[in-house]
Amino acid sequence: MAYNNKPKPDDRSDNVEKLQTMVQNTIENINEAEETLEFSNAEDRARVEAKNERRKESIDAMRSEIEDETQARQNGYNQ
């Protein structure tokens, strides 16, 4: 039995927009988590603060990726 599975072509045309949406969603998650802190006990507060720190690191990484993708666009990436 032959399989005709072919990988999908690499479509980077909307990566910048997707990454920007991901950054915005992550910022909203940080803000929502910070709003819950006033009702949290010390253990939950520490957990939320640690998670928000990881989220901020992710945002930095996504922003770096946005820069890379923008540069690729400007250099004529056409696929």
Side-chain angles (χ1 to χ4, degrees):
M1 176 188 274
Y3 292 99
N4 292 329
N5 292 342
K6 295 181 182 178
K8 293 182 180 180
D10 185 20
D11 180 13
R12 296 172 61 178
S13 63
D14 61 349
N15 280 5
V16 172
E17 291 78 11
K18 286 179 183 177
L19 287 163
Q20 288 172 334
T21 299
M22 291 168 53
V23 167
Q24 185 59 42
N25 290 341
T26 304
I27 291 170
E28 290 173 10
N29 289 340
I30 289 172
N31 292 337
E32 289 173 10
E34 287 178 351
E35 289 175 8
T36 66
L37 288 179
E38 69 178 276
F39 306 109
S40 301
N41 61 36
E43 182 180 328
D44 290 339
R45 177 180 297 273
R47 193 174 307 126
V48 168
E49 288 173 350
K51 187 163 190 172
N52 277 352
E53 232 5 82
R54 292 190 302 273
R55 286 175 171 146
K56 290 174 184 176
E57 291 171 6
S58 294
I59 287 171
D60 290 341
M62 286 184 274
R63 287 183 172 150
S64 176
E65 182 84 16
I66 288 170
E67 289 175 17
D68 292 345
E69 290 293 329
T70 300
Q71 189 66 37
R73 269 189 193 175
Q74 291 172 350
N75 290 337
Y77 181 82
N78 291 329
Q79 205 165 17

